[in-house]
Amino acid sequence: MPHSSSRIAVIGGGPAGLAAAEVLAAAGMGVDLFDAMPSLGRKFLMAGRGGLNLTHSEPLAPFLSRYGDRQAEVAPLVRAFPPDALREWAAGLGIETFVGSSGRVFPREMKAAPLLRAWVHRLREHGVVTHARHRWTGWDEAGRLRFDTPGGETTHEARPAILALGGGSWARLGSDGAWMPLLAGRGVAVEPLKPSNCGFEIAWSDFFRDKFAGEPVKNVVASCVDVDDTPLRRRGEFVVGRHGVEGSLIYALSAALRRRLEREGRAILTLDLLPDRPAERVLADVSHPRGARSLSSHLQSRVGIAGVKAALLREALSRDAMLDAGQLARAIKALPLALTATRPMDEAISTAGGVRFDALDDNFMLKPLPGVFCAGEMLDWEAPTGGYLLTACIASGRATALGALRWLAKRD
């Protein structure tokens, strides 16, 4: 049975969709919130499993720079709902936050579930009606929204409708990118989805892979060169995977590394294994006579390199190069790792690509589809982990809801 309603539909129960529903309900609008999964915020909960990183405490100018090529488009959204406002909003839900040693902002309990429960409770108090297990499949001939449900297909008549369907990573949690052909078929300009905040493949030797997969590589500086020749450097740690490298330090450089792979078929990630020790000191230390000690003992005692860091050197250098103090010292300060591919998109934390910003009007409405708006990660932007993704998703959902309200006001 078709369900007809003049209520506003929000499709997608992630942070962008929840934020849009909250703004609409606060404005007195009736809201129906649809999600394909059995419950709301599945990816949000998974992202917070190790500690929900809500936002970042750094000044706004460097914060906005994290959006890279899309800074001009994303910055107005974040300025309208900046990190401090996000923390105040969380406090209004009863969620106290704190700034960690890295500048990242977390809930005091470090968990996503309490925040999500409070958020959904507020929405229901404001009259938002949720519809779980409703997978959006496009429009019928009359322009009604179509949904697959456990009870069969149903339709819903709504103008406006806000799409907040996520990107193409973690399909098992609902973000499968299935909306791409539905919008492209209606004339909406989209960019292909690509992995972002992702791992990269390296052709490890069998010995290295079997012995060191899962090992963290701590306190290093990683660098690469973007396709526009911009040098990039980040300090932190990463994890050796069976197929290559992953972790926060790698994710911070993933956009540039992906672009280099797309253009050249390979990318070089360079590691400084001893970022606090000058190159001259490293050369002097490795050149020191080692006597009867093994090279492994010498490296550990003179420069503090052992375990996975020593194994990385052996993986990249020949035996002769390892025995040459000059080559060894240079590798310790600038060890090149050849990346051959990104890991599959479904393993990525987020995606780049999606609905192009020039497909939207000033209210975030799709130009070919009057009354249909887009928000969140399904738009063509990306950002590193560290709170930047979640901040922009929530800010985008709020901005899109305000755009829908402006559109409705002009029609009345």
Side-chain angles (χ1 to χ4, degrees):
M1 287 287 292
H3 173 66
S4 179
S5 172
S6 59
R7 296 161 61 88
I8 298 176
V10 176
I11 307 174
L18 295 174
E22 183 175 13
V23 169
L24 295 169
M29 307 300 300
V31 181
D32 286 283
L33 177 60
F34 299 89
D35 195 82
M37 304 304 290
S39 58
L40 302 175
R42 287 292 183 92
K43 187 177 178 182
F44 179 72
L45 288 174
M46 180 64 75
R49 186 172 59 177
L52 180 65
N53 185 192
L54 270 177
T55 188
H56 203 287
S57 63
E58 69 184 345
L60 192 57
F63 188 103
L64 296 176
S65 73
R66 306 298 186 182
Y67 298 101
D69 293 343
R70 293 292 178 267
Q71 181 177 345
E73 292 84 1
V74 177
L77 312 181
V78 175
R79 286 196 184 99
F81 195 70
D84 286 347
L86 179 56
R87 295 185 69 182
E88 291 174 8
W89 166 83
L93 290 173
I95 305 299
E96 184 183 355
T97 58
F98 73 96
V99 179
S101 58
S102 65
R104 299 183 181 199
V105 176
F106 300 91
R108 182 65 60 183
E109 296 182 3
M110 293 294 289
K111 298 177 181 178
L115 189 152
L116 181 61
R117 283 196 299 268
W119 199 357
V120 173
H121 179 71
R122 174 187 284 178
L123 294 178
R124 288 174 176 160
E125 280 190 328
H126 289 173
V128 174
V129 178
T130 60
H131 305 267
R133 295 187 174 91
H134 277 61
R135 183 174 296 278
W136 180 65
T137 58
W139 295 270
D140 67 9
E141 293 179 355
R144 294 171 296 197
L145 300 164
R146 298 173 57 192
F147 296 92
D148 278 342
T149 76
E153 183 177 285
T154 186
T155 60
H156 183 92
E157 188 172 345
R159 282 290 189 275
I162 294 177
L163 306 180
L165 294 159
S169 63
W170 297 12
R172 69 189 184 282
L173 302 179
S175 296
D176 58 9
W179 51 268
M180 285 279 286
L182 297 176
L183 295 187
R186 295 277 181 146
V188 176
V190 296
E191 291 292 329
L193 294 176
K194 304 171 184 178
S196 181
N197 291 297
C198 59
F200 291 85
E201 297 185 0
I202 296 176
W204 299 131
S205 67
D206 292 341
F207 171 82
F208 183 84
R209 180 188 304 110
D210 293 341
K211 186 170 179 61
F212 293 100
E215 287 286 322
V217 182
K218 298 184 177 182
N219 191 26
V220 296
V221 167
S223 60
C224 67
V225 180
D226 209 336
V227 291
D228 62 358
D229 295 326
T230 300
L232 302 171
R233 288 171 56 86
R234 296 288 187 273
R235 184 168 184 154
E237 64 181 75
F238 67 93
V239 176
V240 171
R242 289 194 61 80
H243 302 286
V245 291
E246 58 190 46
S248 59
L249 181 59
I250 306 302
Y251 303 154
L253 300 171
S254 64
L257 293 169
R258 185 192 67 238
R259 286 191 286 263
R260 181 67 68 175
L261 280 165
E262 288 171 347
R263 192 175 80 172
E264 300 178 4
R266 68 192 296 268
I268 299 298
L269 177 71
T270 303
L271 300 179
D272 182 346
L273 300 178
L274 290 176
D276 296 321
R277 193 171 301 201
E280 298 80 4
R281 170 75 183 279
V282 173
L283 178 59
D285 287 337
V286 298
S287 299
H288 191 276
R290 60 186 174 95
R293 288 183 304 178
S294 68
L295 179 58
S296 295
S297 297
H298 183 62
L299 281 175
Q300 184 168 3
S301 64
R302 297 301 303 184
V303 295
I305 283 184
V308 66
K309 285 188 176 182
L312 281 168
L313 289 168
R314 294 183 184 279
E315 186 76 358
L317 298 179
S318 68
R319 178 176 175 79
D320 288 344
M322 286 290 293
L323 296 173
D324 182 291
Q327 292 187 65
L328 180 57
R330 286 193 292 274
I332 289 171
K333 293 299 291 180
L335 182 69
L337 299 181
L339 313 182
T340 58
T342 60
R343 291 297 294 157
M345 186 162 63
D346 199 45
E347 294 181 10
I349 290 177
S350 59
T351 49
V355 175
R356 291 172 46 152
F357 278 90
D358 59 12
L360 306 169
D361 70 6
D362 292 342
N363 290 323
F364 304 96
M365 186 172 72
L366 295 169
K367 293 175 182 177
L369 298 171
V372 180
F373 299 76
C374 280
E377 198 184 333
M378 65 185 299
L379 302 180
D380 181 21
W381 61 277
E382 63 181 313
T385 57
Y388 310 104
L389 286 165
L390 187 53
T391 298
C393 280
I394 293 175
S396 171
R398 294 177 63 88
T400 301
L402 292 172
L405 291 172
R406 288 192 296 268
W407 180 78
L408 280 171
K410 289 181 179 179
R411 289 168 57 89
D412 291 342

